Amino acid sequence: MQGIADTTQHARPVGNVRPIRTPADHRWALAKVDRYFAHKPAVGTPDGDRLEVLLTLIAAADPVEILHVAITDRGRSQSALAHLLGSRARASEILNRKRALSLGQIRAISAAWNLPIALLAAPYRLEDNAA
């Protein structure tokens, strides 16, 4: 087909990246991404490409799921989340999908827990009786 660029010649394999289908897959991908935050790889390098692909895959999880994974599998706690958000009630409302995260809360969690802002800022479902 004329006029359509063939980008496959520029594509690079990105290591052992796999589909994310289960909570365990999400935990695996978050653990892989976590190591890149201490030393973020340059864009266009093999590690940079792998990080980009992993972040794209993880983005399929919503922010509440990401918080639950951080609490259950990454050594965080609901008390630590409450401290970041200002109260236990607020943390509970967010984890139970009664209230959405604000931009300030997203920034605070991202900085404290090394979670990408983009993952926490993704749209997600609130319960119908949410305030």
Side-chain angles (χ1 to χ4, degrees):
M1 288 186 200
Q2 214 170 16
I4 297 177
D6 180 9
T7 58
T8 58
Q9 65 184 344
H10 302 292
R12 248 193 314 258
V14 290
N16 66 341
V17 175
R18 61 183 191 242
I20 295 176
R21 295 186 180 111
T22 67
D25 293 337
H26 280 113
R27 290 189 294 273
W28 171 84
L30 284 171
K32 296 297 180 190
V33 166
D34 198 36
R35 74 180 187 109
Y36 287 119
F37 282 98
H39 305 289
K40 191 170 181 182
V43 173
T45 64
D47 277 345
D49 290 349
R50 185 167 192 247
L51 175 60
E52 186 177 340
V53 169
L54 284 167
L55 288 174
T56 301
L57 291 171
I58 292 169
D62 76 30
V64 174
E65 291 170 358
I66 298 292
L67 291 175
H68 281 290
V69 168
I71 289 168
T72 59
D73 297 335
R74 296 180 76 201
R76 309 299 183 190
S77 68
Q78 188 168 339
S79 293
L81 181 63
H83 178 73
L84 291 171
L85 300 178
S87 75
R88 285 175 124 4
R90 182 67 36 93
S92 180
E93 289 171 338
I94 288 168
L95 291 172
N96 290 309
R97 299 178 183 276
K98 304 293 184 193
R99 179 183 296 273
L101 287 164
S102 70
L103 182 56
Q105 292 166 336
I106 289 168
R107 287 180 175 150
I109 295 166
S110 175
W113 289 6
N114 291 324
L115 294 170
I117 286 176
L119 295 181
L120 298 172
Y124 62 97
R125 169 189 58 78
L126 293 177
E127 293 299 321
D128 290 337
N129 59 355

